[in-house]
């Protein structure tokens, strides 16, 4: 005879459910709205680590990075109203990046709902467009069921964030309810005949090209991508900030699409007669504003593989749409009888040669600190499994263009271009993988959006190395400003602290680098500091990207 379940508070039922689903880390900023859950987390401290952050945006970014790294939902716990508002930036990132996340929000008590009670927000409305699913748990008895549903939804099909709103009095209710079993990741398989249809197109192609990216990747999927690309000699590029799906040293890797991409890869995709897109949505950044492939029907024939049926046919009408997870699709694609690739042998070799040539720095950029040399050093110095995180901004083009990723997962970047991601992601990455070097790339703008999570790193003994590329401006916007409104600088200049000294006041290691030759020793000291480290890289503000200067952009604009 089964025993009737013991009475527990809602907070306890919630935390027990998290444990059952394999949650080992919760990123949070505390709030009085969920004290009962926090208390249950205190009791579960041996199995679930509570990482207390300094702003909910940082906490949500950490959960997002955790989701990207592990494939498991990253859990963030925040208070109602203000906490949920702050967290939303990381939830938006998770949505656009197809990252599994569970957002737990403390909510006003049930008997005050709909009065605009203290900090009350309707999360169905507010979080609706940011999440795959939002639910308010109105009774503690339903917690096991709804947490289970949330975990399934976060991981199924196209992964993404889900949110549960938790009324505070529900969390203190005592209930006798049974737990569920752990969630299982369910992924769509490949429709019969779909791979054959792709093979038929491929066999007729002259200039095929693969774009890999999006959510739901695993090491097995990456290994199958390599087999598929190799067997059919397919030039394989990476969607925006998804550069770690195929080893960049592999002869079939042809570089990244997106911000800072080589003009050559843009030409290649325009010349391609067949594009096989695996997992990527083909978003605005990857397609250069929907110009490399034009919707709804691109000139290139298109095979589009995506786990969400509603994505297929949304922007592009593919010749062969395939609704499948990347893992399931690639398992079949890797096992497919290879086609005769002799027609595009040269095309493939030329595409690779263009990528390798673009690794070489653009000549003639000014300044004493050469970022290309910094990147060359990191390429040599860091092991294949090092994790690089990036914020959003023009500084990130240095890593997009000049770093070579080997293993998966090693690149954590916001494909929604959300500033403030770099530092929190690095904290989460080093927490998940304490054995791997973690290096964050952040601009001076982004550093003061969430750089205070350095305090979180110090508090929890987490030690990433953070590179702050300082040009004393919101450089990206300044570049657009000079292009569209030359010599009308407005709202884009910044006054900054001395970032190295600022970092030291947190108890971190701090370095300031103004010349190329200072970087390598500063980096060694930082790696060996035994605590979080910040290296401020003072670059010439005229160097606005890996390819050009602000003055060149301005002069070009005046001429045109
Ligand atoms: C949260 C957020 N706010 C604003 C923007 C718009 N934006 C994009 S890049 C950028 C400037 C980034 O400045 P910085 O971090 O210093 O990097 P830089 O471009 O100078 O290399 C801004 C304001 C954004 N993408 N995200
Ligand atoms: Mg800047």
């Amino acid at each position: 005879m089964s025993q009737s379940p013991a009475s527990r508070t809602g907070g306890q039922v919630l935390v027990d459910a998290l444990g059952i689903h394999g949650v080992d880390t919760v990123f949070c900023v505390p709030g009085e709205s969920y004290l009962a859950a926090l208390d249950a987390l205190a009791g579960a401290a041996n199995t679930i680590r509570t990482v207390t952050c300094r702003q909910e945006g940082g906490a949500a970014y950490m959960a997002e990075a955790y989701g990207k790294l592990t494939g498991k939902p990253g859990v963030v716990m925040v208070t109602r109203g203000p906490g949920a508002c702050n967290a939303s930036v990381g939830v938006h990132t998770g949505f656009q990046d197809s990252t599994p996340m569970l957002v737990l929000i403390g909510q006003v008590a049930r008997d005050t709902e709909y009065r605009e009670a203290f900090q009350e927000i309707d999360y169905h409305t507010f979080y609706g467009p940011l999440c795959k699913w939002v639910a308010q748990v109105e009774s503690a008895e339903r917690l096991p069921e709804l947490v289970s549903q949330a975990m399934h939804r976060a991981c199924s099909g196209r992964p993404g964030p889900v949110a549960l709103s938790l009324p505070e009095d529900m969390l203190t209710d005592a209930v006798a309810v049974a737990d569920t079993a752990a969630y299982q990741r369910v992924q769509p398989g490949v429709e019969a005949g779909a791979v054959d249809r792709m093979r038929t197109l491929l066999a007729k192609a002259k200039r095929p090209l693969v774009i890999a990216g999006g959510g739901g990747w695993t090491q097995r999927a990456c290994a199958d991508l390599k087999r598929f690309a190799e067997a059919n000699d397919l030039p394989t590029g990476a969607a925006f900030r998804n550069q770690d799906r195929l080893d960049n040293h592999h002869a079939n890797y042809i570089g990244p699409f997106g911000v800072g991409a080589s003009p050559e890869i843009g030409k290649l995709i325009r010349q391609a007669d067949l594009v096989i897109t695996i997992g990527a949505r083909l978003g605005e950044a990857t397609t250069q504003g929907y110009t490399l492939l034009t919707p709804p029907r691109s000139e290139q024939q298109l095979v589009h593989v995506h786990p969400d049926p509603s994505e297929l046919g949304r922007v592009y009408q593919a010749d062969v749409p395939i609704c499948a997870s990347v893992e399931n699709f690639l398992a079949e694609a890797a096992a497919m009888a290879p086609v005769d690739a002799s027609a595009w042998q040269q095309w493939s070799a030329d595409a690779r040669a263009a990528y390798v040539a673009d690794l070489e720095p653009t000549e003639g950029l000014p300044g004493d600190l050469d970022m290309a040399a910094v990147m060359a050093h990191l390429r040599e110095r860091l092991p294949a499994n090092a994790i690089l995180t990036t914020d959003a901004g023009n500084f990130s083009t240095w890593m997009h263009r000049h770093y070579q990723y080997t293993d998966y997962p090693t690149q954590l970047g916001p494909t929604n271009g959300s500033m403030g991601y770099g530092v929190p992601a690095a904290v989460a990455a080093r927490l998940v993988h304490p054995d791997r070097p973690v290096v964050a790339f952040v601009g001076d703008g982004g550093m003061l959006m969430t750089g205070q999570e350095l305090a979180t790193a110090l508090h929890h003994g987490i030690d990433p190395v953070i590179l702050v590329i300082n040009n004393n401006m919101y450089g990206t916007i300044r570049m657009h400003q000079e292009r569209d409104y030359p010599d009308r600088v407005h709202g884009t200049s910044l006054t900054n602290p001395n970032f190295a000294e600022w970092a030291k006041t947190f108890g971190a290691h701090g370095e300031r680098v103004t010349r190329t030759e200072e970087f390598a020793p500063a980096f060694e000291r930082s790696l060996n500091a035994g605590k979080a480290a910040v290296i401020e890289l003072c670059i010439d503000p005229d160097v606005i990207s890996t390819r050009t200067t602000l003055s060149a952009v301005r002069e070009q604009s005046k001429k045109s």
Side-chain angles (χ1 to χ4, degrees), residues 61 89 391-396 416-419 442-447 449 469 471 473-477 494:
Y61 279 142
V89 71
D391 218 88
N394 263 28
F395 67 86
S396 63
N416 67 339
S418 192
M419 289 171 72
V442 194
D444 50 315
M447 189 64 184
M449 283 201 179
I469 297 92
N471 55 4
M473 62 174 114
Y474 288 129
T476 314
I477 313 305
L494 295 172

Side-chain angles (χ1 to χ4, degrees), residues 143-157:
L143 271 168
E145 172 201 343
L146 294 177
V147 173
S148 166
Q149 183 175 166
M151 298 299 278
H152 279 97
R153 286 190 188 245
C155 298
S156 68

Side-chain angles (χ1 to χ4, degrees), residues 19-155:
I20 287 166
H21 293 299
V23 172
D24 55 17
T25 310
V26 170
F27 300 95
C28 79
V29 174
E32 68 273 32
S33 58
Y34 70 86
L35 277 176
L38 201 56
D39 187 63
L41 280 172
N46 284 341
T47 50
I48 302 181
R49 186 168 184 175
T50 301
V51 179
T52 313
C53 305
R54 306 309 292 261
Q55 212 260 21
E56 291 84 352
Y61 279 142
M62 286 184 209
E64 202 279 345
Y66 177 102
K68 269 200 181 104
L69 277 175
T70 63
K72 301 192 301 183
V75 180
V76 57
M77 209 175 218
V78 298
T79 198
R80 54 203 172 191
C85 288
N86 276 345
S88 62
V89 71
V91 184
H92 171 56
T93 303
F95 191 78
Q96 290 226 316
D97 284 25
S98 305
T99 306
M101 289 174 75
L102 174 61
V103 189
L104 300 171
I105 311 164
Q107 174 62 308
V108 301
R110 286 164 293 185
D111 59 358
T112 61
E113 275 170 19
Y114 308 116
R115 291 178 179 167
E116 196 188 327
F118 184 60
Q119 304 178 335
E120 181 179 3
I121 293 181
D122 172 1
Y123 298 105
H124 289 102
T125 312
F126 175 37
Y127 267 33
L130 303 180
C131 284
K132 287 182 75 179
W133 185 61
V134 181
Q136 184 151 300
V137 184
E138 297 290 356
S139 96
E141 277 94 355
R142 296 199 64 194
L143 271 168
E145 172 201 343
L146 294 177
V147 173
S148 166
Q149 183 175 166
M151 298 299 278
H152 279 97
R153 286 190 188 245
C155 298

